[in-house]
Amino acid sequence: MHGSLTRRRRAGLALLTSAALAAASALVAATAVTAPASAATSATVTVNTGTSLGTIPAAGHGVNVAVYDGNMNSSPVSGLLRDAGFTAVRYPGGSYGDIYHWKTHTTEGGYVAPGTDFDTYVSTVRSAGAQPVVIANYGTGTAQEAADWVRYANVTKGYGVKYWEIGNEVYGNGHYGSGWEQDNHADKSPKAYANNVLQYISAMKAVDSSIKVGVVLTTPGGWPDGVVGSGDSADWNNTVMSIVQDKADFVIIHWYPGATSAADSLTKVSQIAPMVSTVRSLLAKYAGSRASSIGIAVTEANLNYQLNSATTALGAADSYLTWFENGVMNVDWWSLHNGTSSSPKTNDDGTPDYNDFGILSSGSSGEPPVNTPLPPYYGLAMVGRAGSPGDTLVKASSSSSLLAAHAVKTSGGVNVVLVNKDLNNSTTVSLSYSGFSPGGAATVVQWRKGATSISTSSASSATSITLPPYSITVLKASGGGTVSPSPSPSPSASPTPGGSGCSATYKVTNSWPGGFQADVTVTNTRTTAISGWTVGWSYRNGQTISSSWNAAVSQSGAAVTTKNVSYNGSLAAGASTSFGFTGNGTGDVPAPISCTTG
């Protein structure tokens, strides 16, 4: 994957810079594809509004832009970003982040297009109603340069840029044998990166302590994850996190799964939950009590197969919502414009493919006019139609492997997102709701293969709908009788009754399909100090503990026993301490939970 990343980000620059064709008013329809004759299939979807999967993150719905893209700030762009509901825009562009110098608006060995400077970028992002995500130059920059950028952005200009990354794919600096990321440091090891990151964090936060700083990790299961380099004692992720520990505010991975067919591409969403679980376990191992508050950002994502297909549009919508349901704070698609160096071909699903990673055409040879939305744009725009930041993601399940279902509880009702992955057949879906009574009419927002716009219509009911083949639908149901979802964090178990000398409360702080994270707070209920404590409970649904911190945890069958470690056993009268863990299974709260002293 690393080799293709280099070509993707540095190829086709001349195409990008020469594409200065038309503005939004000159957009033309993309080639429509006639769907094969379809037969109806059926499926059922169950929506449980009483089960929360967290909320849509404030800067979750993102896209990448690059300083070599002369159309990055063209007049239609802010409106297209806003119409798609993007809330984050990452700059200055993948591997360019490690060669870009913001003060001079120059790169080392790259090309910078006119009108792509930092201030113009911020203006576009603000006009779109989104937040900046900025890559501080690690490869050819310094901690001081990054701190000066924070000062200019947030003190001098008052832009309030919150999210800052330290480098791009720094593990691609040649330390593991393959190099596509520029890194001028003599020591290119993960240990050197981590120690330098601490200097960046210190310098940048000395300017503005409110910013959030992210550290680069390798993608779980992707190269070079698990590789131990020459002179290292562990792989990149374990080395970096063992040094950075709890000093970063978020960690960064990238996701380019690739595929062998359109059908295979649409299954790659299944990678998401295990990947997030792996990263959470890593944080739990090294970040101590801050583990649950450190975010995960996927600052580059693309299915990396038949890039401009309807298949990619469906996969984009399905994957973004799945990332959100697994607690990820930000996902940034690669990219806004990218350009192409190949002739158009035909995708598996019958749509034209320009081999362009952009969601908007760059106007390269053989492509539609510049800024024409390509299918992935519509897929991501449907994510924007699913709900707004702060809306609650609730559990939705489908009876069919070819129908993905997601649901969002809003102030006005429940939005159900239905992705019909069946290329040839329409699907009639019967929907049932738990904790919510849909009213009469519903609103249907829909995009289907070949369409050059998103349609909005009315339906007589929110309990049945027929979906076209290869389509994304948001069924917006209004109604009453809602019950508040079990929030994430979930309700705590009742404290242990008095008499034992201590009490314990159990709280689920995050959950994802097949796993969860929880914290337990132990409080001394005596009027005198205690020197040790033991907390216990039994699970009801086969849950198992996978990792823990700040306590010695053992499990025998359903029974879990936790004891203090050396530094948190002594508690003054009324004092509290906490420990945490990740587990496999559902994140329901066990009861009773016991606490004893000694």
Side-chain angles (χ1 to χ4, degrees):
M1 180 184 75
H2 46 281
S4 65
L5 294 180
T6 305
R7 293 191 293 273
R8 180 174 65 251
R9 293 175 202 165
R10 299 183 189 252
L13 302 189
L15 296 175
L16 282 167
T17 57
S18 65
L21 302 179
S25 60
L27 298 182
V28 298
T31 303
V33 177
T34 303
S38 64
T41 63
S42 62
T44 59
V45 167
T46 302
V47 179
N48 185 349
T49 65
T51 302
S52 170
L53 301 176
T55 60
I56 296 177
H61 188 202
V63 65
N64 277 271
V65 296
V67 292
Y68 56 71
D69 172 17
N71 299 305
M72 183 182 91
N73 296 304
S74 58
S75 57
V77 165
S78 61
L80 287 164
L81 292 172
R82 183 173 56 252
D83 291 347
F86 284 109
T87 54
V89 181
R90 182 178 181 245
Y91 174 94
S95 295
Y96 264 56
D98 279 314
I99 60 173
Y100 177 70
H101 299 286
W102 72 273
K103 288 183 181 180
T104 57
H105 189 48
T106 59
T107 61
E108 298 189 24
Y111 169 81
V112 174
T116 61
D117 60 276
F118 178 64
D119 292 300
T120 308
Y121 151 76
V122 172
S123 177
T124 296
V125 173
R126 282 183 158 185
S127 296
Q131 296 189 53
V133 177
V134 176
I135 310 167
N137 185 341
Y138 176 81
T140 62
T142 65
Q144 186 61 55
E145 182 181 27
D148 290 345
W149 200 353
V150 174
R151 181 177 291 104
Y152 177 80
N154 293 355
V155 179
T156 303
K157 303 295 287 190
Y159 290 151
V161 178
K162 184 176 182 180
Y163 302 105
W164 299 80
E165 300 179 54
I166 311 303
N168 184 55
E169 293 169 350
V170 184
Y171 47 81
N173 60 9
H175 180 69
Y176 296 101
S178 181
W180 65 89
E181 200 78 12
Q182 186 69 32
D183 184 357
N184 288 353
H185 295 87
D187 186 348
K188 296 176 172 55
S189 68
K191 180 179 179 181
Y193 172 72
N195 283 314
N196 287 326
V197 158
L198 295 178
Q199 295 179 31
Y200 273 72
I201 293 173
S202 177
M204 294 165 74
K205 289 203 169 189
V207 175
D208 183 353
S209 61
S210 70
I211 64 171
K212 303 297 182 184
V213 182
V215 59
V216 172
L217 299 181
T218 62
T219 302
W223 190 92
D225 183 44
V227 177
V228 178
S230 176
D232 299 339
S233 59
D235 66 358
W236 180 277
N237 286 357
N238 280 278
T239 302
V240 169
M241 288 310 302
S242 69
I243 295 169
V244 174
Q245 297 184 353
D246 62 352
K247 302 303 187 297
D249 300 295
F250 61 98
V251 295
I252 300 150
I253 61 174
H254 290 172
W255 188 58
Y256 291 97
T260 57
S261 66
D264 181 46
S265 182
L266 291 174
T267 69
K268 298 304 181 181
V269 68
S270 64
Q271 297 178 354
I272 292 173
M275 288 168 57
V276 174
S277 179
T278 297
V279 175
R280 292 192 192 284
S281 294
L282 184 76
L283 294 175
K285 183 177 180 181
Y286 294 111
S289 60
R290 280 206 68 211
S292 62
S293 63
I294 294 175
I296 301 173
V298 187
T299 57
E300 289 185 24
N302 193 298
L303 294 182
N304 202 24
Y305 180 78
Q306 298 188 347
L307 309 176
N308 311 124
S309 62
T311 300
T312 296
L314 270 59
D318 192 17
S319 63
Y320 263 54
L321 291 167
T322 303
W323 285 115
F324 297 163
E325 290 163 353
N326 281 272
V328 164
M329 59 176 272
N330 164 255
V331 188
D332 302 313
W333 193 259
W334 186 271
S335 62
L336 183 68
H337 303 100
N338 192 84
T340 181
S341 57
S342 64
S343 300
K345 298 179 177 63
T346 301
N347 291 312
D348 292 354
D349 58 30
T351 55
D353 191 72
Y354 308 104
N355 195 36
D356 188 335
F357 279 85
I359 59 173
L360 303 178
S361 172
S362 66
S364 301
S365 177
E367 288 193 319
V370 64
N371 288 324
T372 299
L374 301 172
Y377 171 86
Y378 293 110
L380 293 169
M382 292 300 289
V383 175
R385 304 301 199 275
S388 302
D391 287 343
T392 302
L393 297 148
V394 296
K395 188 172 183 179
S397 57
S398 166
S399 65
S400 170
S401 62
L402 292 179
L403 177 68
H406 307 272
V408 180
K409 184 176 181 295
T410 72
S411 59
V414 174
N415 297 342
V416 184
V417 183
L418 302 167
V419 182
N420 185 8
K421 302 179 183 181
D422 193 324
L423 178 61
N424 300 314
N425 300 308
S426 60
T427 302
T428 298
V429 183
S430 299
L431 299 98
S432 62
Y433 300 80
S434 173
F436 174 77
S437 299
T443 300
V444 178
V445 182
Q446 191 171 84
W447 179 83
R448 60 188 297 175
K449 187 186 78 165
T452 57
S453 64
I454 293 171
S455 66
T456 302
S457 60
S458 296
S460 60
S461 170
T463 59
S464 180
I465 185 171
T466 298
L467 309 174
Y470 246 44
S471 61
I472 309 166
T473 302
V474 179
L475 181 64
K476 297 187 174 185
S478 60
T482 59
V483 295
S484 298
S486 301
S488 182
S490 298
S492 301
S494 300
T496 308
S500 61
C502 61
S503 65
T505 55
Y506 181 118
K507 181 182 292 184
V508 176
T509 58
N510 220 321
S511 61
W512 53 93
F516 64 95
Q517 183 170 321
D519 286 341
V520 175
T521 300
V522 180
T523 302
N524 178 10
T525 57
R526 290 182 175 175
T527 57
T528 57
I530 61 173
S531 58
W533 45 263
T534 301
V535 174
W537 64 86
S538 291
Y539 283 121
R540 298 184 292 267
N541 297 306
Q543 296 95 329
T544 57
I545 305 296
S546 56
S547 64
S548 63
W549 53 97
N550 295 338
V553 179
S554 61
Q555 183 170 1
S556 177
V560 177
T561 302
T562 61
K563 295 181 179 291
N564 63 275
V565 289
S566 60
Y567 52 83
N568 63 1
S570 298
L571 296 176
S576 299
T577 189
S578 63
F579 63 91
F581 54 90
T582 58
N584 303 309
T586 57
D588 52 299
V589 175
I593 181 169
S594 65
C595 186
T596 57
T597 60

